[in-house]
Amino acid sequence: MPEDVLFKFEQQLSRDEIADYLHAAADNLEQGDDITLSAGSDSVTMSPPANPTFEIKAEHEYSNESDPGELSIEFELEWKKGADTDDSTDGSLQIE
């Protein structure tokens, strides 16, 4: 499926700075508000529905056995344009 990147930001930040961004997004989600992402002249406003799909992925990417690779934690909200989704999965997520 083709993909249009509407906004991209990548920068090395402190844990505290990252937490501040995540808290701001979480506050908007909790209040049912839009989420606006902006950096420089780039900006996009997204309106997550009441029940988007939430995906968390922990990855270790490497090219071969001797490559130490890169570790990542990805947080993603997904929804179909114009629809409020309610896809549920067995089990519950815990973040500690």
Side-chain angles (χ1 to χ4, degrees):
M1 178 185 302
E3 176 179 278
D4 289 328
V5 176
L6 303 177
F7 180 87
K8 182 172 181 174
F9 174 83
E10 186 172 338
Q11 183 177 12
Q12 191 168 349
L13 301 169
S14 71
R15 286 179 170 204
D16 286 342
E17 291 169 315
I18 294 166
D20 288 343
Y21 287 123
L22 293 172
H23 284 295
D27 289 345
N28 284 24
L29 279 172
E30 188 172 46
Q31 295 168 16
D33 295 338
D34 292 347
I35 297 175
T36 298
L37 309 171
S38 57
S41 62
D42 293 335
S43 179
V44 66
T45 298
M46 305 291 284
S47 302
N51 297 299
T53 299
F54 180 52
E55 178 182 339
I56 294 181
K57 197 182 328 181
E59 293 181 330
H60 178 202
E61 295 179 31
Y62 53 93
S63 57
N64 59 52
E65 295 287 325
S66 64
D67 178 11
E70 184 175 87
L71 297 170
S72 66
I73 300 172
E74 299 175 9
F75 299 89
E76 182 172 285
L77 296 177
E78 271 183 356
W79 62 93
K80 297 228 183 263
K81 196 171 180 178
D84 193 12
T85 59
D86 191 12
D87 296 335
S88 56
T89 305
D90 290 332
S92 62
L93 172 68
Q94 294 180 7
I95 300 177
E96 300 175 13

